[in-house]
Amino acid sequence: MAKPTTIVGSNVYISLETDTPGTFARPCGLTSHTITFTKNTTDVTVPDCDDLEAPAWIERGVESLEMSGSGTGVLAVEAEETWWDAYNSTESVNARIYLGAPATAGTVYYAGKVHITGYEPAGERGGKAQVTISFVSDGEMTRAEVTV
């Protein structure tokens, strides 16, 4: 059996557009990311026309798609303003969500606009400040591959 090609865990992450349009940077500090793709469906019960007493099957139509995610890690001073500004804005921000090393051909990323919906700094005596961020897509996220 051939071994699969795997993705290093730290190469699953979110990058936000910088002040330079078209340039994306990974805010420092997050060590764990979760990305969720959701397909919302509507149910329609379809009867058997030859036997109306037979159990009907449910068919589903796709109503909407969305992407959401979260990240946790240390609250880096260098990233605090970036997270705050993105959270505090009423406008969505351009983002890329990577599944692989950013400068490697074949790496997949999803590009589009997101809202930072949660910004949760936390601290405990004797430890380092931590942060949890959460985001949701704002419109279509397009799948692309890095071509170097």
Side-chain angles (χ1 to χ4, degrees), residues 109-126:
Y109 67 91
Y110 297 87
K113 292 188 171 290
V114 301
H115 279 287
I116 303 298
T117 55
Y119 171 60
E120 302 174 49
E124 183 176 316
R125 183 176 181 268

Side-chain angles (χ1 to χ4, degrees), residues 15 27 132 142:
S15 283
T132 299
T142 57

Side-chain angles (χ1 to χ4, degrees), residues 123-145:
E124 183 176 316
R125 183 176 181 268
K128 300 291 183 183
Q130 302 289 303
V131 68
T132 299
I133 63 104
S134 54
F135 65 89
V136 295
S137 58
D138 181 17
E140 183 177 4
M141 299 297 287
T142 57
R143 185 179 188 277
E145 286 189 18

